[in-house]
Amino acid sequence: MNNLIITNNPAVAEIKDIVLFVDGSAEETLIKARDLVHEGYELISHPLAASLRMMFSPFRSVILGKKSDKVDIFSVEIIEESIIKFKRHMESRKIDTDNNDDYKMIDLILLEAAIHEQPVTW
Amino acid sequence: MKLEIGRIYIKDIQLGKETSVIDGVLTVDKQGLIDNLKEDGRIKDILIDVARPGEKVRIIPVKDVIEPRVKIQGGNNGFPGVTSKQAQCGEGRTHVLYGAAVVTVGDIVGFQEGVVDMWGEGAKWTPFSKTYNLTVDIQVVAGLDPHTHEETVRIAGLRASEFIGLAGENVTPDEVLTFEIGSMFEETTKYPDLPKVIYAEMNITQGLLHDTYIYGVNQSGILPALLHANEEIDNAVISGNCVAACDKITTYQHQNNSVIYDLYAQHGKEINFLGVIMVPEHTTLAGKVRASDYTVKLAKMLGADGVVVSEEGYGNPDSDLLMICKKCERNGIKTVLITDECAGRDGLSQPLSDTAVEAVAVISGGNVSHVVTLLPADKVIGNAAAIAVLSGGWEGSLLEDGSMMCELNAVIGATSEIGFHNVTCRLY
């Protein structure tokens, strides 16, 4: 089962095979993922990280599963809520661009962890 | 299972040539500790210092906080499965250097924040401004990969607390707390009319800088695990995460988990406290569904009437919290949720974007976006450059007099989701 990775992280795009690279911000990456979810793609990984600091990361990667004819309502709820939460957080914050290399690295490592969490074979 | 925790009150820390506790003063053999930690070849340098309540000292970036302890009877000393051989935690007797803490400092990534101020405005917000802190700044050899770097810093902190804890071995404690709960059948026979309550503790388990360990086992790869209420407060659980400063559960907070202490205090009075389910917070939706299903199944198997659920972190774990809530409530199990909130700088925004009709009892640990002004410190322990990370996120945060505005999310333990902190909530 090949999943699709939506990412704006060049470090991810460099080494992963099935990638849709977003040449834009973390928010644009989430919005791209949302559009695809509305087209029928299922969310495999949660669009947000687990810690506040990663919310300020300029880089974000989201894993999508297979596309079906029917929109997956669970995935829609999760991605929509995530975008609301992300926007609220970033209202008064600027993206932290001083630590780009570290954010790229951690985004990639957390993505790898998600991929290995449970291989999707169904 | 019966555990005695003997608290030895610590009133000061001094650096010296031997490690001891005399009249409440903890003296630490500085060179002995450095030599001990440097037995790990991955460590290049160790800097030891002391930060006392009230001193104009800032510690940054904090990796973890650990309470120094020694096992007197039962189990193994240290952290079984991590710094010592596997043994059962939660039985026998443990001495605690109460009021002392090991605070580890280690720059693993550039965006690490995590500040502890020992005085002034900053001190109000972190529980670790009240402890006598032995700071251990761990600098590693060049070329370590990030995972090894994190592990080195994590283990060094645990070993330091073990080294210092030994000073309490032959000291008579000032206070002894007893924690005893028998099998669920015994307790239910004793208290047939009390509601059965279980604690589901969610922990970040998502990869580097986002992990939690039980007996040294990374929780990310296991199903929710049932613990006796004594195990976590006796060194079974350690923290491996450090980029969620305000709501990270430090190892110290695991050792002193307020939810466990409070539920214990009500055991046999208001409730029958069944134990703790350690719930991993996964990254994938499948993992979240699995962990929440499994948690509810365990609660049902144990006949729980109510579940107290605490979260760790912010962002994707909010989904897990509500999944557990919804599934429990639909199965007739009442829930109380403990989380923190992002209610904007003025506290007026809608605090939670994920909501559910089932979530009717929710406790907030604080507003992560609340802004505090930190005054310039006389002394910075750790990496002064990391201070820029605190103020780096927004315009106007660095003021002319050198003080700095930052959000609570940078302050260690400021909005603890297990209630081990300084803020409280009030019903208006």
Side-chain angles (χ1 to χ4, degrees):
Chain A
M1 180 74 210
N2 290 320
N3 293 325
L4 172 65
I5 299 167
I6 315 298
T7 186
N8 69 339
N9 182 353
V12 170
E14 218 168 82
I15 61 165
K16 294 292 173 191
D17 286 338
I18 307 174
V19 166
L20 196 159
F21 184 72
V22 177
D23 188 9
S25 65
E27 184 174 333
E28 285 165 315
T29 307
L30 294 179
I31 288 168
K32 184 66 195 171
R34 179 190 66 188
D35 292 348
L36 292 170
V37 165
H38 281 282
E39 282 176 24
Y41 282 92
E42 172 189 30
L43 266 181
I44 296 295
S45 69
H46 197 288
L48 297 179
S51 63
L52 278 158
R53 192 76 211 179
M54 290 304 290
M55 200 83 91
F56 309 140
S57 167
F59 303 101
R60 194 72 207 129
S61 303
V62 181
I63 311 171
L64 300 182
K66 60 183 171 188
K67 187 181 179 199
S68 77
D69 299 337
K70 226 172 109 188
V71 172
D72 179 40
I73 298 300
F74 182 49
S75 297
V76 170
E77 274 177 27
I78 297 275
I79 185 81
E80 294 288 357
E81 280 175 349
S82 298
I83 291 173
I84 293 171
K85 191 172 292 181
F86 181 83
K87 282 183 171 171
R88 175 172 306 156
H89 253 282
M90 302 315 289
E91 266 170 14
S92 51
R93 291 288 302 219
K94 283 192 300 183
I95 293 273
D96 173 9
T97 51
D98 294 346
N99 298 289
N100 276 2
D101 286 345
D102 281 348
Y103 278 119
K104 277 182 204 165
M105 173 189 79
I106 296 292
D107 178 67
L108 173 61
I109 289 173
L110 295 178
L111 177 77
E112 296 277 12
I115 291 168
H116 291 118
E117 209 170 274
Q118 188 179 36
V120 177
T121 49
W122 60 86
Chain B
M1 192 176 266
K2 183 179 176 183
L3 171 70
E4 286 180 327
I5 291 190
R7 287 176 169 173
I8 300 161
Y9 297 157
I10 299 300
K11 299 167 202 138
D12 194 15
I13 299 182
Q14 299 287 340
L15 299 177
K17 296 203 181 305
E18 57 165 26
T19 302
S20 64
V21 176
I22 298 168
D23 296 331
V25 176
L26 168 63
T27 303
V28 176
D29 171 7
K30 182 179 168 183
Q31 195 53 48
L33 175 59
I34 293 172
D35 293 345
N36 181 289
L37 296 180
K38 285 180 80 169
E39 284 172 15
D40 183 340
R42 301 173 295 186
I43 294 177
K44 187 177 74 181
D45 265 322
I46 295 282
L47 302 173
I48 304 287
D49 213 328
V50 177
R52 301 175 183 84
E55 291 180 343
K56 286 182 81 172
V57 174
R58 172 166 299 147
I59 315 171
I60 185 171
V62 172
K63 166 77 174 69
D64 197 12
V65 185
I66 307 128
E67 185 168 61
R69 295 168 161 209
V70 60
K71 198 78 189 165
I72 302 297
Q73 185 234 316
N76 261 348
N77 194 34
F79 294 85
V82 185
T83 63
S84 58
K85 281 187 182 168
Q86 180 58 41
Q88 182 63 54
C89 292
E91 291 177 325
R93 185 172 172 119
T94 301
H95 282 183
V96 170
L97 305 187
Y98 189 68
V102 170
V103 177
T104 53
V105 181
D107 245 338
I108 298 166
V109 288
F111 54 83
Q112 218 172 300
E113 42 191 17
V115 65
V116 169
D117 272 5
M118 301 303 291
W119 90 108
E121 177 68 14
K124 281 191 211 164
W125 298 95
T126 173
F128 303 110
S129 61
K130 295 188 184 72
T131 45
Y132 287 87
N133 297 328
L134 186 90
T135 62
V136 183
D137 186 343
I138 302 134
Q139 295 168 7
V140 300
V141 296
L144 289 188
D145 66 75
H147 285 94
T148 311
H149 186 172
E150 188 280 327
E151 183 190 86
T152 306
V153 175
R154 170 163 39 91
I155 303 292
L158 301 174
R159 287 183 55 210
S161 78
E162 190 178 327
F163 181 91
I164 297 156
L166 284 171
E169 197 168 11
N170 298 312
V171 179
T172 306
D174 297 285
E175 176 189 19
V176 178
L177 309 175
T178 303
F179 299 88
E180 185 170 17
I181 288 181
S183 80
M184 291 177 189
F185 300 103
E186 289 164 347
E187 299 298 321
T188 306
T189 305
K190 266 198 274 183
Y191 310 113
D193 300 325
L194 293 180
K196 297 188 283 297
V197 176
I198 199 151
Y199 170 33
E201 180 181 353
M202 296 164 49
N203 295 291
I204 295 185
T205 55
Q206 306 198 348
L208 183 64
L209 306 179
H210 295 76
D211 277 322
T212 307
Y213 300 82
I214 308 174
Y215 293 107
V217 175
N218 190 329
Q219 248 188 294
S220 67
I222 59 172
L223 292 165
L226 183 64
L227 298 191
H228 187 282
N230 288 4
E231 295 181 80
E232 180 176 357
I233 57 172
D234 195 32
N235 282 9
V237 183
I238 60 169
S239 169
N241 66 65
C242 63
V243 286
C246 65
D247 50 20
K248 150 194 172 68
I249 307 174
T250 60
T251 299
Y252 189 105
Q253 288 162 304
H254 284 297
Q255 293 169 307
N256 292 277
N257 190 317
S258 306
V259 180
I260 295 178
Y261 269 64
D262 289 354
L263 291 175
Y264 235 116
Q266 296 305 321
H267 179 67
K269 296 175 190 158
E270 296 279 331
I271 60 163
N272 177 2
F273 182 21
L274 297 176
V276 186
I277 304 172
M278 302 298 285
V279 188
E281 296 173 352
H282 295 298
T283 313
T284 61
L285 300 195
K288 291 177 184 302
V289 171
R290 184 178 66 240
S292 54
D293 280 349
Y294 203 96
T295 300
V296 178
K297 182 210 68 184
L298 282 177
K300 282 169 72 178
M301 279 177 70
L302 302 171
D305 299 300
V307 184
V308 176
V309 192
S310 69
E311 184 180 356
E312 184 179 22
Y314 188 93
N316 78 48
D318 305 348
S319 299
D320 307 58
L321 182 75
L322 286 177
M323 281 184 200
I324 295 171
C325 168
K326 286 179 196 169
K327 291 174 187 176
C328 280
E329 294 278 348
R330 284 172 196 166
N331 278 282
I333 302 171
K334 290 190 187 312
T335 54
V336 173
L337 313 180
I338 315 176
T339 179
D340 56 5
E341 54 185 312
C342 169
R345 296 216 168 132
D346 54 7
L348 295 176
S349 302
Q350 181 193 326
L352 304 169
S353 56
D354 301 41
T355 49
V357 289
E358 293 87 352
V360 290
V362 183
I363 299 167
S364 168
N367 177 13
V368 301
S369 310
H370 180 80
V371 175
V372 291
T373 304
L374 305 180
L375 300 171
D378 285 349
K379 176 177 164 185
V380 175
I381 295 176
N383 180 4
I387 293 167
V389 175
L390 296 187
S391 58
W394 41 293
E395 305 274 359
S397 52
L398 201 56
L399 307 179
E400 273 180 14
D401 66 354
S403 59
M404 186 176 56
M405 292 165 74
C406 76
E407 293 173 352
L408 274 190
N409 62 52
V411 181
I412 292 282
T415 64
S416 165
E417 294 165 289
I418 58 163
F420 187 98
H421 64 325
N422 299 347
V423 301
T424 187
C425 46
R426 209 173 277 164
L427 194 64
Y428 287 96

